[in-house]
Amino acid sequence: MKQYRWRIVALLFFATPINYIDRQVLGLLKPVISEDISLSEAEYGYIVSAFQTAYAIGMLLAGRFIDKFGTRISYSIAIAVWSLAGCLHAAASNFFHLAAARFMLGIGESANFPAAIKTITEWFPKKERAFATGLFNSGSNIGAIVAPLIVTYITVEYGWREAFIVTGLLGFLWIIAWLVFYQVPTKAKGLSKEEFDYIHQDKSEEDVDDGQKKPWWNLFKRRTTLGICLARFVCDWPWWFFLFWTPDFLSKTFHMDLTAMQIPIVIIYIISDFGGIVGGYISSKMMRMGRTAAFSRFAGLLICALLVLPVSLIPSVKTLWIVIGIISLACFAHQGWATNIYTVVSDNYPKSQVATMTALAGFSGSMGGIIAASSVGIILEITNSYYVVFMVAAMTYVIAWLLLRLFVRYK
């Protein structure tokens, strides 16, 4: 049997780093931008919240849009929007300009994961989805690894505005490849009948569409929807916190400049890059060994939740590389967590609703992120300490896991 479906993972893999490069540039350049245009801690928090607000609004629209018009066109439009927004950051001269550009970026980027998860659901049977999701999602960390290198070089040589322009243009190159090479399985040239049948081997009621269009609000009739949304609301924000505030934390705690941060940040994301792959592999391996999808997903999620707990120790640690190790472990665990919770969606909803449900869950996560981003900025301005933030971040995944166990019911 040919392995055509893994080419699709490759396309998704390259889209995800671009997504994360574009959103990470601001966090990397916070010290430089704050000095240049006089941003306060609270204003930076509000800018992050602007992104999260747009991300949440975009999620409500993106899921239905993708399910209606398909991934090929929808994904292209989304990346065009966020790439243009990335470039527009370069024109910012005050808080309001940055907030507006960040809002537009959030609208475009909100479609990335709904489109990607729907694509995985269309191209992979259940027993391979977690691993395939882990593979493409590992691209987020590739973006986080590459971003400090690209952004630092461009900023030092040319300036922070040029860094936004160069990284923003990457998405337009990907769109060309996507439109040339991607089609759904029923239209893909070169896909063998054997592999087509393998992809469509799952015949459970949860996975087979009945051809009827169901309104999106029907999702709220399901207990599982509430569980997934609550879990995402609780635990999405620590990842954004690590992404947007780690450079600032290292700068203030260990007095590191932009150049000195490169190696620690790259190490954090190299380690975390394996989290999605390992988390997806463990879950898929359990299923191949005969365990149920429910057991496999919940076991993977619990392991990841426990690995985040050491984050609570960071405020009392004075050694840089121990701090880097703990943050790396937490980011590793988050990626494994994300892989499995995305797969919980594809396990429990028909293909015609996967993008909508992924987007709804993402909306819930973004709402939690909006509250958290502003709260983090205010807490830091009032206390000048990261102690409270790290303590709360350490517990969120365990709480989210308990919510999933309480509400999510596999059939």
Side-chain angles (χ1 to χ4, degrees), residues 39-312:
L39 283 180
S40 69
E41 292 287 359
E43 285 177 331
Y44 180 73
Y46 297 144
I47 289 170
V48 175
S49 290
F51 175 87
Q52 294 284 14
T53 301
Y55 202 81
I57 294 171
M59 282 286 186
L60 289 179
L61 304 173
R64 292 300 295 167
F65 185 79
I66 294 164
D67 278 333
K68 182 175 182 179
F69 295 102
T71 49
R72 189 170 185 269
I73 298 301
S74 302
Y75 215 167
S76 301
I77 293 173
I79 294 190
V81 170
W82 93 53
S83 297
L84 177 60
C87 293
L88 289 176
H89 282 67
S93 59
N94 56 45
F95 159 74
F96 296 103
H97 293 161
L98 270 181
R102 210 68 188 165
F103 189 90
M104 182 177 175
L105 183 73
I107 291 291
E109 291 205 344
S110 66
N112 184 69
F113 284 100
I117 297 302
K118 184 177 178 67
T119 301
I120 292 294
T121 305
E122 290 173 336
W123 275 92
F124 287 85
K126 283 185 177 181
K127 64 184 180 182
E128 289 185 343
R129 288 177 191 169
F131 183 53
T133 299
L135 285 176
F136 94 74
N137 194 36
S138 68
S140 62
N141 296 298
I142 297 297
I145 292 166
V146 172
L149 304 177
I150 296 176
V151 172
T152 300
Y153 174 78
I154 297 173
T155 302
V156 171
E157 293 294 325
Y158 303 101
W160 66 266
R161 298 180 190 277
E162 285 75 7
F164 279 109
I165 293 172
V166 172
T167 54
L169 291 175
L170 295 175
F172 292 107
L173 297 177
W174 183 89
I175 291 172
I176 296 172
W178 178 254
L179 292 175
V180 170
F181 295 109
Y182 182 79
Q183 287 289 357
V184 294
T186 53
K187 297 181 180 179
K189 296 179 180 179
L191 179 64
S192 68
K193 184 180 184 304
E194 181 185 9
E195 187 172 6
F196 182 90
D197 292 339
Y198 179 81
I199 291 168
H200 296 88
Q201 65 183 265
D202 299 307
K203 301 300 181 183
S204 67
E205 291 182 359
E206 285 296 309
D207 195 53
V208 176
D209 296 328
D210 58 11
Q212 298 179 10
K213 298 294 184 182
K214 301 182 179 70
W216 67 272
W217 55 83
N218 277 4
L219 294 171
F220 289 103
K221 296 179 180 179
R222 300 187 56 177
R223 180 188 181 101
T224 295
T225 299
L226 178 60
I228 293 172
C229 289
L230 285 174
R232 291 290 300 272
F233 179 84
V234 168
C235 76
D236 267 27
W237 73 266
W239 173 252
W240 300 107
F241 168 66
F242 292 131
L243 193 67
F244 292 130
W245 266 279
T246 293
D248 186 62
F249 173 75
L250 295 178
S251 174
K252 290 180 176 177
T253 306
F254 297 100
H255 310 292
M256 303 175 72
D257 61 19
L258 189 60
T259 302
M261 287 181 205
Q262 286 186 80
I263 293 177
I265 290 175
V266 167
I267 288 174
I268 288 171
Y269 290 110
I270 286 176
I271 293 174
S272 63
D273 195 36
F274 293 98
I277 298 173
V278 173
Y281 175 80
I282 290 173
S283 179
S284 293
K285 180 68 172 179
M286 286 182 182
M287 286 192 68
R288 288 195 296 269
M289 293 172 63
R291 292 290 190 174
T292 64
F295 179 91
S296 302
R297 308 312 185 209
F298 284 129
L301 287 164
L302 179 60
I303 292 170
C304 294
L306 296 176
L307 291 177
V308 181
L309 292 177
V311 163
S312 62

